[in-house]
Amino acid sequence: MACEREAGLAYGYSIARLIREGMRGHRGWEPAWRDARLAPAYDAVIVGGGGHGLAAAYYLRKNHGVDRVAVIERGWLGGGNTGRNTTVIRSNYFFPQSAAFYDFSLKLYEELSRELNYNIMFSRRGMWSLAHDRHGVDMLVRSANAMRINGIDAELCDGTEVLRRIPGLSPRRFPILAGLNQPRGGTARHDAVAWGYARAASRLGVDIVQNCEVTGFVIERGRVRGLRTTKGDVRTEAVGLATAGLTSVLAAKAGLRLPITSYALQAFVSEPVKPCLDTVVLSPATGTYLSQSDKGELVIGAGLDHFVSYAQRGSLPWMERAAAGVAELFPAFSRLRFLRQWAGTVDVVADSTPILGSTPVAGLYLDCGWGTGGFKAIPAGGWCLAHVLATGASHPLAQAFSLDRFTTGALIDEAAASGIEH
Ligand SMILES: Cc1cc2nc3c(=O)[nH]c(=O)nc-3n(C[C@H](O)[C@H](O)[C@H](O)COP(=O)(O)OP(=O)(O)OC[C@H]3O[C@@H](n4cnc5c(N)ncnc54)[C@H](O)[C@@H]3O)c2cc1C
């Protein structure tokens, strides 16, 4: 509480506070988090101020009581993929290890606004995957069975029921033969997830340092002893890398070669319209998925660019495919205009399963390999990274996600299991 007061962060958000501030011209709001200066030494440092890094810092303090914790971000908080994604949250994975991990994450999401005292606008609106041909139906049946075996909510419906449940969806070009819904799936405001964790971590005393790039490591006899940054060196014996598409570049500076390939993944929003789509719809056959944001924009996602890139910009072919997919599934949307397009650099691994745990360098841990689907994993990823940073041992939920599966061969091939992975 002392550090909260020093930072001017002693008060939570509440209706009473809102009314009080409203009555005095909103002059009493404090910054959501302290912009800290880098100290010379920490008990643990997390590189990357996206959702995973910020969540890990929060759980390091909250679950493990680790004292001096810093998050170092080369740009601004949430400026990586966390602030660029299409916000889909679900746990409809195929293999039991993935289902257990992502469902834990979903459960944390369900309570996150209360936990962080920050409205992350979690909206449990369901997520539908569509089947347009017999093969697609077989895939949905297989997924539904796996989900039920894994204890995940799953609703398999025939085409008539899907068309009844999703107004505006048209079977004209692509027949709708079946749909698989995860009713507990949905969306959340991506920036709010980063800001909520940042604020909560800062209230617990975490130093959040923006505009500071980690440029190298101090490693002695196989153990990490510190980091080199653009704001000076820092001593620490526990480092977590939560740097998404740049993790392989950074890890190479510690002598590690990671099985990660970075690609641009892009998304689009339309101009805003009145509420017309109250769920998330994914059509693996067209490579398109969409939902409607609270602002009214259609949020449209697509697949990876098929060339390696670190640029946060997409290319025209997916823009064309995504627009065609939306127009063919929902003809009524064909007159909408795109308002914005953007991309992020995603960290793809061959089996589309994250890498979460230790490395051959003692004290250096990874939280990466999320590819196109790590927004939904932020609470659980942060939870498990905090666990391994604090204890040196993998959390039981993350044991199967170790780096050494690429040498033992114990891959968890979710790549084949869920069409587009968002
Ligand atoms: C267009 C798009 C759509 C997506 N849709 C979904 C979706 O619907 N659902 C879903 O679950 N996932 C989705 N994802 C994936 C998801 O966004 C990511 O997996 C997730 O946000 C990764 O979070 P992170 O915290 O690991 O990484 P980031 O949010 O990318 O954070 C990493 C941070 O590390 C910083 N950094 C890098 N190098 C350094 C350095 N040397 N020093 C200091 N800082 C550094 C970066 O600046 C960045 O801020 C999507 C991604 C994109 C791009």
Side-chain angles (χ1 to χ4, degrees):
M1 214 40 202
C3 58
E4 287 177 18
R5 280 209 202 88
E6 278 159 31
L9 303 177
Y11 306 105
Y13 293 156
S14 65
I15 297 254
R17 179 90 198 277
L18 193 58
I19 294 170
R20 202 170 64 230
E21 289 304 331
M23 289 171 64
R24 53 178 188 164
H26 292 285
R27 285 192 302 273
W29 296 111
E30 65 282 349
W33 60 83
R34 277 178 312 124
D35 223 354
R37 287 169 71 118
L38 193 65
Y42 288 98
D43 296 325
V45 175
I46 295 151
V47 189
H52 283 266
L54 293 163
Y58 171 70
Y59 294 122
L60 259 177
R61 287 287 301 130
K62 177 162 185 250
N63 293 359
H64 303 279
V66 174
D67 262 344
R68 298 171 308 159
V69 177
V71 176
I72 300 182
E73 164 56 49
R74 70 174 193 155
W76 66 95
L77 298 191
N81 295 338
T82 298
R84 292 166 189 266
N85 66 74
T86 44
T87 77
V88 180
I89 295 170
R90 61 183 174 86
S91 60
N92 53 353
Y93 280 75
F94 189 77
F95 291 97
Q97 302 92 326
S98 323
F101 177 86
Y102 286 101
D103 209 53
F104 177 63
S105 206
L106 178 51
K107 285 181 182 138
L108 291 176
Y109 259 124
E110 286 165 346
E111 293 300 321
L112 204 56
S113 292
R114 212 186 320 271
E115 164 82 19
L116 301 180
N117 178 229
Y118 200 96
N119 186 3
I120 62 149
M121 298 165 77
F122 178 66
S123 161
R124 186 191 279 177
R125 58 179 69 182
M127 176 183 162
W128 287 90
S129 303
L130 305 179
H132 306 292
D133 56 22
R134 243 188 54 205
H135 174 69
V137 176
D138 288 348
M139 290 296 285
L140 290 192
V141 171
R142 176 174 167 270
S143 292
N145 289 339
M147 286 165 70
R148 288 186 184 135
I149 289 168
N150 290 327
I152 310 292
D153 52 317
E155 214 184 356
L156 188 61
C157 300
D158 64 19
T160 316
E161 177 63 8
V162 176
L163 289 166
R164 193 186 70 74
R165 301 269 289 272
I166 310 177
L169 181 63
S170 164
R172 216 169 45 198
R173 171 76 193 271
F174 291 103
I176 310 291
L177 300 186
L180 174 60
N181 182 26
Q182 182 181 14
R184 285 167 56 239
T187 57
R189 167 112 198 255
H190 48 14
D191 297 320
V193 173
W195 298 338
Y197 271 119
R199 174 172 171 270
S202 187
R203 284 166 67 100
L204 294 178
V206 170
D207 278 358
I208 295 174
V209 186
Q210 299 182 78
N211 297 312
C212 178
E213 181 167 356
V214 171
T215 52
F217 299 83
V218 181
I219 296 172
E220 288 167 9
R221 288 191 290 279
R223 158 161 278 289
V224 75
R225 301 280 181 196
L227 293 169
R228 305 214 183 282
T229 83
T230 48
K231 292 190 175 173
D233 290 358
V234 56
R235 289 193 310 282
T236 182
E237 303 214 344
V239 175
L241 301 188
T243 43
L246 290 172
T247 311
S248 49
V249 177
L250 193 54
K253 295 180 178 168
L256 300 175
R257 189 155 171 252
L258 299 182
I260 291 178
T261 314
S262 295
Y263 297 94
L265 177 69
Q266 58 186 322
F268 321 89
V269 289
S270 73
E271 59 190 329
V273 286
K274 292 206 166 147
C276 56
L277 184 63
D278 63 356
T279 187
V280 182
V281 181
L282 161 67
S283 159
T286 63
T288 310
Y289 65 100
L290 70 161
S291 63
Q292 189 174 23
S293 76
D294 294 327
K295 284 190 282 184
E297 299 160 348
L298 292 181
V299 181
I300 300 161
L304 291 170
D305 275 349
H306 288 273
F307 47 88
V308 176
S309 170
Y310 293 99
Q312 288 172 312
R313 44 165 288 188
S315 58
L316 281 176
W318 264 114
M319 200 169 188
E320 188 187 8
R321 269 188 77 178
V326 171
E328 279 156 0
L329 293 169
F330 292 89
F333 296 157
S334 62
R335 295 188 185 189
L336 289 178
R337 286 169 295 179
F338 277 150
L339 192 67
R340 288 192 306 280
Q341 173 272 0
W342 67 90
T345 312
V346 294
D347 41 342
V348 175
V349 292
D351 60 354
S352 286
T353 291
I355 304 173
L356 193 42
S358 57
T359 70
V361 178
L364 180 61
Y365 303 99
L366 299 173
D367 174 329
C368 60
W370 301 104
T372 61
F375 176 68
K376 68 178 79 65
I378 284 173
W383 185 286
C384 293
L385 178 59
H387 186 279
V388 73
L389 275 164
T391 64
S394 265
H395 188 280
L397 279 172
Q399 269 161 12
F401 304 157
S402 67
L403 181 60
D404 68 11
R405 73 177 187 273
F406 295 95
T407 42
T408 62
L411 301 180
I412 303 169
D413 194 357
E414 288 291 346
S418 60
I420 318 176
E421 306 224 331
H422 301 285

